Amino acid sequence: MILLTLWSVSAALVPGSTISYAPERTSTILKWKSGSIKIAISGSLLKPGANMKADSDAAGAINRSLATWAKAAGIVFQESVTEKQNVSPSGNMGDGVSLITIAQTPENLLLFSKNPQEAAATTRVFFDRKGFISEADIVLNPYQQFSTDGTFGTFDLESTLTHEIGHLLGLDHSPVLSATMHDNYGKNGVFGLQNFGSRTLAEIDISAIRAKYGSDSGDATECCGAISGKALVSKGIGAKGVQVWAEDSDSGKLFGEGSTRADGSFRFDGLPAGDYTVYAQQVGKLKSAFSAQEIGNVEVESGDASPLIKRLVANVSDVELQYLGFNGQLSELAVPLNAGRSYTLYLGGKNIDKDQISIRFSSPFLTHSKKTISNVNFGDDITVVSFEVRVDPLTPIGEYSLFAESKDGRRSVIVGGIAVRSFSNPFSIFTLSDN
Ligand SMILES: [Zn+2]
């Protein structure tokens, strides 16, 4: 089913969650002092009311979402069940109990409105002046519908909780579309798919949590190293607020993303040992001075910070990629694809024309056929092309970038817009053979 007229970002999306910090958020790095964290599950979640689809496996979803983070980093959760139902009121201190609740009490309902575009959940984090978290309460929005079986029009409970537990651990939102910590995620049904993408962590979520808590001691990967670098406008002058990201040099998988500070410096922590390619682009500005470009290659070793300093090349690009899509829809969500299949993707933004740009991937596992690119009319405010992408059968699960290159070699990138996942996206054109 292709609905070419269905062009809607806002209708397809609702915020996954909001996060409130009490007391006021400073620039402090938030984390728990100890990696051993007590979590109290409200009985309201184990005997949920009408806003949880009947026969949902709420207990399983809670356990799995906690285990997902515990497996990624040096964290141990101690779960218990409590009769408590209410979020702690905002203030300097909570009640010391980190609660996960869905109870429809007046205190919890105050956090939300009945607007269906409202967040799926809110996490309220309490911390001290040093940034050490003492309590974090997760409240699932009692006005929203949840399920664990992918029912369209409901939020996936496990995806929602996995995102909120990231906040509970001190993580902020990520601008990368395929990150579990991205601030929007759809209800089940966007792109005609069940939305299980946030049940698992993207590599950049794993790097972010390992930067705070280290890796799990039983983990075989050589973790963790870092890249510390600086992007310059000219000698001695930093390039401020430029998006930078790090990909595995061989697979093209995304492992780190951020933006440069006022002096042009940036840092990626929590990286497994390996070879990385680092890129930069100025985003959100048409005719930006720095179109996407490679900063350099670095080898990262466990325990070290590998340095990288580069003067950016000023090159203005007219092309700006903003949205990716699939199944006749464009959105600000990542596109979940399966290895070994071929799909028709949509790419929307400014000055995107099949005769003026070529589509490229940094990963050797992703390819497209030039013959398949065509312009698509989605209205006056946006230019869109569609094309066929082939995902090699051996593509590792992970997040990948896609870029458009104009004839003069200038590039715009959607960082981590493609998510290769194990849950099924059946809307493929065909299945690729293994040989
Ligand atoms: Zn959030």
Side-chain angles (χ1 to χ4, degrees):
M1 184 180 67
I2 303 287
L3 301 169
L4 291 184
T5 51
L6 182 53
W7 148 237
S8 169
V9 172
S10 56
L13 288 176
V14 291
S17 76
T18 56
I19 176 163
S20 59
Y21 296 105
E24 254 327 277
R25 181 77 203 276
T26 60
S27 59
T28 323
I29 293 167
L30 298 185
K31 65 173 283 186
W32 293 79
K33 200 167 195 171
S34 151
S36 180
I37 300 165
K38 288 185 177 141
I39 302 285
I41 314 294
S42 166
S44 63
L45 254 167
L46 303 174
K47 281 185 229 152
N51 60 339
M52 184 83 65
K53 197 190 167 203
D55 298 329
S56 289
D57 178 19
I62 296 165
N63 290 336
R64 286 190 298 271
S65 54
L66 290 167
T68 294
W69 288 104
K71 211 167 64 182
I75 300 162
V76 178
F77 291 106
Q78 300 168 44
E79 288 178 64
S80 63
V81 176
T82 175
E83 287 313 304
K84 281 181 183 283
Q85 298 200 314
N86 288 328
V87 62
S88 294
S90 64
N92 285 332
M93 295 275 283
D95 61 2
V97 176
S98 292
L99 183 71
I100 304 180
T101 180
I102 197 171
Q104 298 193 26
T105 62
E107 288 87 345
N108 294 346
L109 290 173
L110 270 179
L111 297 170
F112 306 100
S113 77
K114 286 183 179 170
N115 182 349
Q117 301 300 324
E118 267 263 340
T122 283
T123 299
R124 180 171 278 164
V125 182
F126 297 87
F127 55 93
D128 66 17
R129 283 174 189 281
K130 288 180 177 165
F132 288 122
I133 299 169
S134 55
E135 177 185 338
D137 295 336
I138 295 172
V139 186
L140 292 155
N141 186 341
Y143 294 122
Q144 296 284 10
Q145 293 289 317
F146 295 89
S147 69
T148 56
D149 65 357
T151 300
F152 282 13
T154 68
F155 280 107
D156 182 59
L157 180 64
E158 186 177 339
S159 287
T160 306
L161 283 174
T162 307
H163 176 99
E164 296 305 322
I165 292 161
H167 287 320
L168 175 144
L169 292 169
L171 291 181
D172 257 325
H173 287 141
S174 163
V176 173
L177 302 183
S178 48
T180 293
M181 294 314 294
H182 190 260
D183 65 347
N184 281 318
Y185 56 81
K187 293 178 179 175
N188 289 307
V190 177
F191 298 142
L193 292 169
Q194 297 173 327
N195 198 359
F196 297 155
S198 296
R199 288 183 175 189
T200 50
L201 302 180
E203 293 291 354
I204 58 160
D205 299 307
I206 295 171
S207 305
I209 203 68
R210 286 179 173 173
K212 287 181 188 287
Y213 300 97
S215 70
D216 177 23
S217 54
D219 183 6
T221 60
E222 292 181 57
C223 185
C224 300
I227 298 170
S228 175
K230 211 169 211 188
L232 303 174
V233 173
S234 58
K235 195 166 183 249
I237 311 234
K240 178 190 172 187
V242 171
Q243 184 183 27
V244 283
W245 67 99
E247 297 177 357
D248 180 274
S249 297
D250 295 324
S251 68
K253 263 173 80 164
L254 179 70
F255 277 86
E257 193 277 345
S259 58
T260 55
R261 301 181 197 95
D263 63 354
S265 64
F266 61 87
R267 189 178 166 97
F268 305 112
D269 280 296
L271 302 175
D275 291 328
Y276 293 89
T277 306
V278 179
Y279 300 87
Q281 74 176 346
Q282 207 165 28
V283 287
K285 283 182 191 164
L286 198 57
K287 298 197 183 288
S288 74
F290 304 109
S291 73
Q293 54 194 276
E294 193 176 310
I295 298 188
N297 290 291
V298 273
E299 186 184 346
V300 170
E301 288 179 22
S302 181
D304 280 352
S306 304
L308 193 63
I309 295 180
K310 170 86 177 196
R311 189 167 155 179
L312 298 180
V313 179
N315 54 3
V316 177
S317 177
D318 282 346
V319 175
E320 188 184 352
L321 302 186
Q322 294 170 304
Y323 306 106
L324 252 178
F326 170 75
N327 227 0
Q329 298 180 354
L330 281 174
S331 102
E332 279 183 305
L333 289 176
V335 180
L337 305 178
N338 297 145
R341 285 182 161 170
S342 145
Y343 298 88
T344 298
L345 293 189
Y346 293 77
L347 191 56
K350 307 249 167 66
N351 298 317
I352 298 171
D353 182 282
K354 72 178 176 66
D355 297 320
Q356 301 302 319
I357 61 156
S358 48
I359 310 287
R360 300 283 171 86
F361 303 93
S362 43
S363 171
F365 295 105
L366 300 171
T367 52
H368 86 291
S369 146
K370 271 187 189 157
K371 280 181 287 185
T372 62
I373 185 166
S374 60
N375 290 336
V376 183
N377 185 5
F378 269 76
D380 293 339
D381 300 331
I382 185 166
T383 49
V384 179
V385 294
S386 72
F387 60 96
E388 181 206 330
V389 60
R390 296 179 180 201
V391 187
D392 189 276
L394 299 176
T395 312
I397 298 293
E399 300 70 44
Y400 298 89
S401 302
L402 155 157
F403 57 94
E405 185 171 301
S406 59
K407 287 192 164 151
D408 53 11
R410 291 167 188 181
R411 296 171 171 183
S412 176
V413 181
I414 295 189
V415 178
I418 293 179
V420 175
R421 295 286 179 252
S422 55
F423 70 89
S424 174
N425 177 345
F427 296 105
S428 55
I429 312 171
F430 57 84
T431 299
L432 304 172
S433 111
D434 248 324
N435 40 38

